[in-house]
Amino acid sequence: MTSLFLRDIKLSVRAGGGALIGVLFFMTVVAVVPFAVGPDLNLLSRIGPAILWIGALLASLLGLDRLFQAEREDGSLDLMLMQEAPLVLTVLVKCLAHWTASGLPLVIAAPLLGLFMNMSEVAIGATMLTLLVGTPAITFIGAVGAAVAVTLPRGGLLVSILVLPLAIPVLIFGVSAAYAAVEDPAPFLPPLLILIAITLFFAVIGPLAAALALRSASD
Amino acid sequence: MPISLVVEDLSAKRGEDLIFHDISFVVSAGEALVVTGPNGSGKSTLLRVLAGLLAAEYGSVRLDGISFEIGHPRELCHYLGHRNAMKRELTVAENLSFWKSFMGDSDGGSGIGLEEATEALGLGGISHLPFGYLSAGQQRRMAMAKLLVAYRPIWILDEPTAALDASADRLFAALVSRHLGAGGIVVAATHQPLGVEARELRMTGFAGVGEMV
């Protein structure tokens, strides 16, 4: 399973892997917001965490449809389905590798983009933390969508549409935890803990559902 | 007791229609079965059902004579389909070492090393190249090297020798007969002769019954 993890990381950084596309997209989305809303620094810092979260959410949906489709196209998926190792575990490892290659860079890029949005240090730190614990959930939910759409030739948009509604709770609790860190009366810990719970929940449900979908999608 | 692949009353559907029904055969250790028939007669479907990639409509596939617990017969099978299951972006060595460690060895045997495997297919010395740089025939041979690096007693091969030249054909025949000699089982769909002694299962297409020759 370690070899699968390493292979997927390698693939995502090689030509055409697309790990950096997500970060670039994230940067582009966040960088155009100040142009759109104007140079009102207070407004920017107020909407900063929300914009960062929306950008990260959209960016992490970008490469998800290729998670299983690339494997299916070259026949690797057939072999993965045949192994003694449980398919759920294979899916989980693929999700973790996908997140490390395309989710983690978003978290690392977040502080820089936070500066674009005139966010305070505390807000930047809180947003980074919520992105760190929240984006894996998007990958796990996305894996289900990717598995359902694996046989569709242009499933990319479909995956995003399937996944976005399910990712809304992640967005809500991620943003509210980030806001709670800077706005005084709201407590920071409860939304963060709920966010962690959502991630753990989908870490179990996501691979399970994706494995089921892959088994029944075989042709 | 040597293992045998037992297929009983197997039927499978493509869409709404049964593409074959009531196929039964037994392939014992050291035997090869060649599945022949015109295009669309259900050869690939039969192989995918054997490999556990497609659900059978009726009937069963099982292994007799194994001394350990397995979840499904597919776990003891190699499946070489039309597609090579190798990544173009990775080098041949990276591809093979991934499959070697991901698949592991089934009980009762062990895979050979990467260098040895590429040598066995006559392509030693180019395993540092990205898989995408190789020609179609070389890619096919490297995909066959997968059969050697991880041990599986049963090989399910779907038109293995398409895109191969005559010398690679002979090379592959030698690999197959060595695998059979070591007590393996080979089920192959092919239009060309496999180059080893084998029984033949002729598929006749929609709702036809395969006949053993």
Side-chain angles (χ1 to χ4, degrees), chain B:
Chain B
M1 182 178 163
I3 64 167
S4 53
L5 179 68
V6 182
V7 171
E8 279 174 349
D9 301 326
L10 203 65
S11 311
K13 269 185 180 173
R14 273 296 199 199
E16 289 301 302
D17 301 306
L18 281 175
I19 190 158
F20 56 78
H21 62 82
D22 300 326
I23 287 186
S24 304
F25 58 82
V26 177
V27 194
S28 320
E31 279 186 323
L33 178 72
V34 170
V35 185
T36 59
N39 295 131
S41 57
K43 302 187 294 292
S44 296
T45 306
L46 174 64
L47 295 191
R48 287 187 75 80
V49 172
L50 292 183
L53 294 167
L54 207 62
E57 200 61 27
Y58 317 102
S60 67
V61 179
R62 68 167 201 275
L63 289 174
D64 276 356
I66 42 172
S67 51
F68 44 92
E69 282 287 307
I70 54 161
H72 190 284
R74 65 173 171 243
E75 291 166 13
L76 295 185
C77 297
H78 258 304
Y79 174 73
L80 183 65
H82 294 279
R83 291 165 294 189
N84 289 326
M86 306 277 266
K87 294 285 175 199
R88 303 179 57 82
E89 299 87 351
L90 299 180
T91 66
V92 172
E94 283 171 330
N95 269 305
L96 288 177
S97 67
F98 162 68
W99 284 118
K100 184 175 172 62
S101 72
F102 183 74
M103 295 177 87
D105 293 321
S106 298
D107 288 14
S110 63
I112 62 174
L114 257 56
E115 281 303 315
E116 231 179 305
T118 50
E119 291 288 347
L121 282 144
L123 291 177
I126 60 165
S127 60
H128 61 285
L129 289 176
F131 185 70
Y133 286 12
L134 306 184
S135 76
Q138 288 174 324
Q139 289 188 344
R140 195 62 179 161
R141 277 151 82 171
M142 285 305 186
M144 286 169 178
K146 270 203 322 279
L147 302 174
L148 303 176
V149 294
Y151 173 78
R152 293 283 187 279
I154 301 169
W155 290 3
I156 298 173
L157 313 169
D158 200 351
E159 307 207 6
T161 50
L164 290 190
D165 57 27
S167 72
D169 260 359
R170 285 194 297 276
L171 213 62
F172 185 61
L175 290 181
V176 169
S177 54
R178 195 182 318 154
H179 180 64
L180 294 174
I185 291 175
V186 172
V187 181
T190 179
H191 294 293
Q192 294 119 339
L194 200 60
V196 296
E197 199 171 311
R199 285 190 296 156
E200 188 181 344
L201 173 69
R202 191 171 294 155
M203 306 290 288
T204 49
F206 275 96
V209 183
E211 49 178 315
M212 293 296 281
V213 178

Side-chain angles (χ1 to χ4, degrees), chain A residues 157-213:
Chain A
L157 194 62
L158 182 68
V159 173
S160 303
I161 293 169
L162 282 176
V163 167
L164 259 181
L166 291 167
I168 294 294
V170 184
L171 184 69
I172 291 175
F173 286 102
V175 173
S176 60
Y179 274 125
V182 277
E183 284 165 12
D184 231 0
F188 173 66
L189 215 48
L192 183 73
L193 291 178
I194 292 178
L195 188 63
I196 293 172
I198 291 173
T199 299
L200 292 176
F201 178 73
F202 281 116
V204 178
I205 299 292
L208 213 61
L212 271 177

